[in-house]
Amino acid sequence: MESMLEIQNLDKNYGTVEVLKNINVSAKTGDFLVLVGPSGCGKSTLLNCIAGLESISGGSIHIGGLDMTHVNPKDRNIAMVFQSYALYPTMSVANNITFGMKVRGVAKAERLSKLQSVAKQLQIEKLLDRKPSQLSGGQRQRVAIGRALVRDPKMFLFDEPLSNLDAKLRVEMRLEIKKLHHDLGATMVYVTHDQIEAMTLATNIVVLKDGLVQQIGSPDAVYRRPANLFVADFMGSPAMNLIPVKAISEGSVTRVQIKPAEGAPIELIDNFNGDLPEEVILGIRPEDIAEARLRAGEDTQRMKCRIDMVEPAGADTYVVSWLGGKQVTARLQSETKAKSGESLDLAFDFSKVSYFSKTTGERLN
Amino acid sequence: MSKWLEHNIPRILLAPSFAAVVVFVYGFIAWTAWVSLTRSRLLPKYEIEGFIQYERLFAAPRWDTAMENLFIFGILFIVVSMILGLLLAILLDQQIRIEGALRTIYLYPMALSMIVTGTSWKWIMNPGLGIEAMVRGWGFENFSFDWIIDPDKAIYAVVVAAIWQASGFVMALFLAGLRSVDTEIIKAARVDGIPTWRIYLSIVIPSMAPIFLSAFIILAHLAIKSFDLVIALTGGGPGYSTDLPATYMYAMAFSRGDIGQAASSAMVMMAVVFAIIVPYLYSELRVKND
Amino acid sequence: MTNPTAFIAPRTGKLIMRWLLFAILVAFALFYLIPLFVMITTSLKSLDEIRAGNLVALPVSVTFDAWRTAWASACSGIQCEGLRPYFWNSVLLTVPAVAISTLLGAVNGYVIAQWKFRGANLIFSLMLFGCFIPFQVVLLPMARTLGILGLAGTIPGLVFVHVIYGIGFTTLFFRNYYVTIPVELVKAAKVDGAGFFRIYWSIFLPLSLPILMVTVIWQFTQIWNDFLFGVSFSQAGTQPVTVALNNIVNSTTGVKEYNVNMAAAIIAAFPTLFVYAVAGKYFIRGLTAGSVKG
């Protein structure tokens, strides 16, 4: 499929402060690209650069095959939804949605018919005469999306559109945006600091930190094979366990020594990864640690661990143990009999682990 | 071309105001500073001669009186207005049913020209027919209230009129401040059984420190610029016993034809204002830029 | 309106406190009201009654002679035309000065708050400083400048001066108001294709009524009540009402007509008092806006 968004070697400075450094990102038509990272990582600035709301200091931006690097926002054929919704407070919902068409000189009849179809699609027909201040958060969000939809743009940009909503509404709107993407087949670029939103919505995730791209990949790749310690720690909740261990590789097999809270190190055998340096950080997701009595097989290694804390969370129960000087969380089935202060046999699934360099933080396997 | 224009419209629109401020504020201050260092009399001269104008200024008894008056007037005006304003604000804060009406009454003098205030108080305080005559008419034959014609007391008459004009405004500032104190803290204090006067003294008033500072700055600024009130109330008299730096400067500039003295006295006024304002503005702007 | 610091609801003992509080507040109200009361009653008395009677007594026989004199024939110096021509001078200079300075303030505030460019904050700081200078420091050069421009002693000259030294405050008002409007609004409108002026006209102007009221009222009060610029830069015939009032009151010729002076003072004060009465809310907001940071 053809490329819709092509960002090459983009730099952005504010005076001497470098906010974005050599960004290379692309999206194909129909992609749902999510820019994710902690606050201050530059993700919103990058979105503003794509929209043309911020000028860039170096590099280029192509949208739909055309060089848009120095083109005004209104001529980029994009639509944007903002975190605060940015509804024009003195205009009615209908005028909010049609303002852009009015500015571009679209005839009144066409404006009305587009308004009707969008209002129907988003089920906001009854709200058209209201002012933004008379709407609830979810309704405002719909109007903001409606304002983007009437543009019929090549690409939709979303700047943390759900972060002002309460938890329940956020889940609802997330689904609606996903459905919208499916129905329209349009390209979307979406900024969020919420990694769950990123995982559920994206076809492709760009993880940013301090103005640098950390990893680009599918949600699965970013989750399963994080490129470095930052991504490993940032994506997923609870976060991936990152345990400093001693690795002794012999060809394609590695003996992994883990220090428990008390006593001598315990050795586990990793049959999947070899050629590792001695000092590494082992990354393992909580769900890849199971109760040994419920799980057995070639790929798992057992270890007796002292349980420090048990946190029932409904569907799952999290247990915390102290390994390699770190708190390690395992996600167990809710019927587990684990009790804090007691020991439990845990099984580690080495087919799914990651290894990171202790010095650079980069992925090693 | 149109793109350039679109990009630069904000700058272009701000430019005239910016130029006006640079020329008519900063340029003019520079001009006055320059002239204050020359021997200018009726006409400005531009050869710099050093600080002779300032030497003359500080040697002039009339300037001495003006500075002394500014000191007396400023301190009394600021202190009394603040105390009165705070008192009224606290009293008004006790769920008074006619609070709105009282607030309107306390504050209306601020809408008046100081010339009107001066005219009114000049009439009220005139000994022949004003308060003095009224009280004597009530049978107190020895009552005397002639501040306005007494060179030693006339400046206090100015203070009274100025307080009348500005104290309601200080009340409004403080009332807004009282209302912005976090009510949960006060509730917590009440639950702890702390008496009302103690809550004001230990919790409410300390938390209004920024408002005290604002009120002080505004009142100090008003005091230093005070000109109209003195002109209307006493005309600087009797003699020049109620001269302030502002009236001194005006007299030198427009009736005495002594530009050098006018310029140097204006510069001293500005120095006094800036000594008070600059630290305040600096801290304000620094907070905003963070 | 609940106020947790209020004294506890009146019970027998507290009732006295309550009345005491009330008495103090009313006494202060009288302190603020008496000068106005005295002005009005004096203006309605004849000179004979003033000389015979008591300062705070109500007029025995109401007469409007003093008002007629004050308006149309009171003497200031050698001219005896009353306040009327000067009142109109004040109108003629206040209206354009308020309009122009408010307009400039709105544009400046919009640019500084929403279209930031490098150096915009510095410009704002410079303008802010301009609000606080004692105007004595610019009187001399301004007098010469007005002479050079051929505006000395004219009403346009006074308009010019009031606009120049009003910009700082009007800009401050609008900037502090517009800075509370999220920048995303401008971004959304830019994506919608609107430009600088369209965004102002369609989005910001409809939001601006409160701050427009505050600014217009502030500027109106300041300029109408101004005396320093009026007395420094006008000449016989172009003086604003405050200067004329002062001249009438302090005119040395003839007997002191206190009733005429009071009537003249009320006439000069009437426009700002009227504005305060009908739009006091905005007036107070303007007063506090300069002090409570935005």
Side-chain angles (χ1 to χ4, degrees), chain B residues 28 250 254, chain C residues 135-136 138-147 151-162 165 226-236 238-240 243:
Chain B
F28 277 13
Y250 183 81
F254 295 100
Chain C
F135 290 132
Q136 279 77 13
V138 298
L139 283 186
L140 292 167
M142 185 49 96
R144 295 186 70 77
T145 307
L146 290 177
L151 292 173
T154 66
I155 286 176
L158 274 176
V159 171
F160 177 75
V161 174
H162 280 299
Y165 297 109
D226 162 74
F227 179 74
L228 181 63
F229 289 149
V231 77
S232 304
F233 303 132
S234 66
Q235 59 192 33
T238 62
Q239 287 147 337
V243 177

Side-chain angles (χ1 to χ4, degrees), chain C residues 249-268:
Chain C
V249 173
N250 292 315
S251 122
T252 44
T253 52
V255 279
K256 287 244 179 255
E257 295 181 287
Y258 297 111
N259 50 359
V260 173
N261 291 351
M262 292 304 120
I266 298 170
I267 292 171

Side-chain angles (χ1 to χ4, degrees), chain B residues 123-198:
Chain B
W123 161 236
I124 292 170
M125 294 199 276
N126 94 75
L129 295 164
I131 293 178
E132 185 180 286
M134 182 179 77
V135 177
R136 283 183 182 177
W138 287 341
F140 304 92
E141 294 296 338
N142 295 323
F143 180 78
S144 157
F145 183 67
D146 56 355
W147 290 7
I148 204 163
I149 52 163
D150 180 342
D152 292 331
K153 291 186 182 145
I155 191 69
Y156 301 106
V158 181
V159 172
V160 169
I163 290 170
W164 178 80
Q165 181 144 41
S167 51
F169 164 57
V170 183
M171 177 278 301
L173 268 185
F174 283 149
L175 192 59
L178 289 175
R179 297 273 154 86
S180 68
V181 174
D182 183 356
T183 54
E184 295 214 333
I185 297 176
I186 297 168
K187 282 180 195 160
R190 285 194 76 91
V191 170
D192 283 348
I194 297 166
T196 304
W197 65 269
R198 197 63 209 266

Side-chain angles (χ1 to χ4, degrees), chain A residues 48 53 74 82-84 86-91 99-100 103-104 147 151, chain C residues 118 182 184-194 198 202-203 206-207:
Chain A
N48 278 328
L53 293 167
K74 61 178 164 118
F82 295 88
Q83 178 177 4
S84 66
L87 299 180
Y88 309 130
T90 54
M91 297 184 199
F99 179 67
V103 171
R104 288 193 305 277
R147 191 168 64 183
R151 285 215 67 170
Chain C
R118 204 185 304 191
E184 290 189 336
L185 226 49
V186 167
K187 289 184 179 177
K190 275 188 188 170
V191 173
D192 265 343
R198 183 71 184 244
S202 299
I203 297 162
L207 283 172

Side-chain angles (χ1 to χ4, degrees), chain B residues 46-63:
Chain B
Y46 297 101
E47 299 81 38
I48 291 203
E49 300 274 355
F51 290 94
I52 42 163
Q53 296 295 353
Y54 294 93
E55 283 159 18
R56 277 180 66 206
L57 188 68
F58 295 131
R62 188 173 172 183
W63 175 255

Side-chain angles (χ1 to χ4, degrees), chain A residues 70 72, chain B residues 3 6:
Chain A
H70 301 292
N72 269 333
Chain B
K3 211 176 144 160
E6 219 178 297

Side-chain angles (χ1 to χ4, degrees), chain A residues 292-348:
Chain A
R293 66 181 174 93
L294 298 172
R295 191 153 170 191
E298 281 284 299
D299 46 356
T300 63
Q301 289 280 318
R302 287 149 183 253
M303 179 171 170
K304 204 176 240 335
C305 298
R306 214 178 76 101
I307 305 302
D308 287 323
M309 205 167 35
V310 180
E311 282 184 337
D316 306 302
T317 294
Y318 296 107
V319 299
V320 176
S321 183
W322 202 260
L323 292 177
K326 295 265 175 181
Q327 281 195 16
V328 172
T329 303
R331 184 185 210 160
L332 308 184
Q333 292 174 356
S334 58
E335 50 270 23
T336 179
K337 302 222 161 44
K339 283 206 182 83
S340 82
E342 292 180 0
S343 286
L344 188 68
D345 258 347
L346 291 178
F348 290 71

